[in-house]
Amino acid sequence: MHDLVHDLALDVSEGSCLTLKTRELKNRPEVQHLSLCLKEERRLEISDENIGKLRTLFLTGDLPKNIEDLKSIRALTIVKSGVKELSSSICKFIHLKYLDLSKSSFEKVPNSITKLYNLETLKLPPSSNILEEVQIEFHNLVSLRHLCVEYTENSRKMTPTMIGRLTSLQTLPFFSVGKDQGRKIEELGSLSKLRGRLSVYDLQHVKDQEEANEANMFGKTKITELRFHWDADYEDSNINCSDVLEGLKPHKNLRRLMVKDFGGQRLASWMRSRDDQLLQNLVTIELIRCKFCDDIPILGHLPHLEVVEMVGLDNVEIIGPDFYGFDERTVAGRSTTVAAPTQIVFPALRKLTIHGMQKLKEWSDVSSLPPATTSMMEFFPRLEELYISKCPNLITIPGLGRVYRPCSTIVVHQNAENIDTLIENVLEKTSKFLRHLVIAEFKELCYLP
């Protein structure tokens, strides 16, 4: 901040705010907000005159001897404490609204923490069993707005039960769907105030579209990033992944979408409809290891889309004109068909990644379509980076000269037959604009033009 603002802040907070490193807390009865940084000191005891007045306590190092007496504090942060387990006396801090243990060494929190009925923000360390003792009664934290805990494979399994009762919740980094009551996806249905990012794991436990609808994703207007995860090793013929994804239709405010280990053959209709305005605000989309899926979403008409990553879509053989937003009749090459009304295709796209698509043979060139469908259109006007890798059967990609703006970075990383022709085509069409070229693992490459 500006020096004058800094001086003003010091002047206003003088007396009520204090940071201690080597001195003892004495003769300062007016202190309300205290930061103790006592890494090399013995345990400090807070004086009686301060106990009832402290509202904020930021601790670095060992806890004060009389920590249990600080019942009036509203905010508590503990950093690098040598204690491994938080005392069960935490329940005495009945006025506590903010508890940050994210940088502490605690490996467990006691069940008594669920008696902090006024707690609004809880930040936990990435310990594997940090929530082990509080899962069942976690829903008692009725005032909780922000639950912040770093994702790990083990913490994912510690998702609290009946979290749907915490209707004030705004921050929930991830939710792992279970089979038992209190862990099903319906728990998300009542959390209408969720905002920011939400990752939903173990979607293989959702049976059908009707059950997925109970999550009410469409009603969560403040969610801007969604990540849908299935278990890649889960196999159950009774689970229809396509219907489940259909029921997870998000609100139009969504900016980032990831679909990972999706086991269905077809994507949801809301990802394949050019007329649907649902994804108009989308900036990033990632399709990761959707190995049975044989189609790709229609994306060319989205005005804000900047990043597209398609990785491990093993069943896709052709990236056709529908990828750009043309309808089926145009794809069939009927010259009388008028193209979709979009004037610029992929108007904001900066980065396109196509990786690990084992069956992909052809990336269609729109120049092969009737001139009437492309003469008034511009393609990829802002494309900067194109990555193609691990697609062994791909032999054709679009010509990047006539209707595409050549991008400045192209990475082609694969081994395939007829690769000489592919590389020559890329170089000829982009040499005027290309700034960065990577050629790797071309075992069949005989020459460069």
Side-chain angles (χ1 to χ4, degrees), residues 37-50:
C37 303
L38 306 175
K39 298 180 181 179
E40 306 296 334
E41 300 287 326
R42 295 182 178 180
R43 294 182 66 186
L44 175 144
E45 184 171 350
I46 296 176
S47 60
D48 293 340
E49 61 184 1
N50 296 112

Side-chain angles (χ1 to χ4, degrees), residues 304-344:
H304 304 293
L305 188 63
E306 296 182 6
V307 178
V308 175
E309 294 190 16
M310 297 186 292
V311 178
L313 276 66
D314 291 342
N315 223 25
V316 174
E317 297 185 7
I318 298 176
I319 299 177
D322 51 342
F323 180 54
Y324 310 115
F326 295 104
D327 62 27
E328 294 181 356
R329 291 174 300 169
T330 301
V331 174
R334 298 183 183 181
S335 59
T336 58
T337 303
V338 178
T342 304
Q343 296 300 308
I344 302 178

Side-chain angles (χ1 to χ4, degrees), residues 173 395 399:
I395 57 175

Side-chain angles (χ1 to χ4, degrees), residues 353-370:
T353 299
I354 301 173
H355 172 80
M357 297 174 64
Q358 300 298 316
K359 292 184 179 180
L360 183 63
K361 298 179 180 178
E362 178 183 350
W363 179 4
S364 297
D365 191 336
V366 295
S367 61
S368 63
L369 296 174

Side-chain angles (χ1 to χ4, degrees), residues 171-208:
T171 302
L172 180 65
F174 60 87
F175 179 83
S176 182
V177 182
K179 296 180 179 180
D180 302 328
Q181 197 67 28
R183 298 180 183 274
K184 295 184 177 181
I185 199 168
E186 63 186 21
E187 295 295 321
L188 294 175
S190 58
L191 304 182
S192 59
K193 297 181 180 179
L194 288 181
R195 62 179 63 195
R197 186 181 77 182
L198 173 63
S199 297
V200 185
Y201 292 87
D202 296 319
L203 282 166
Q204 68 276 1
H205 295 316
V206 183
K207 295 181 179 179
D208 50 36

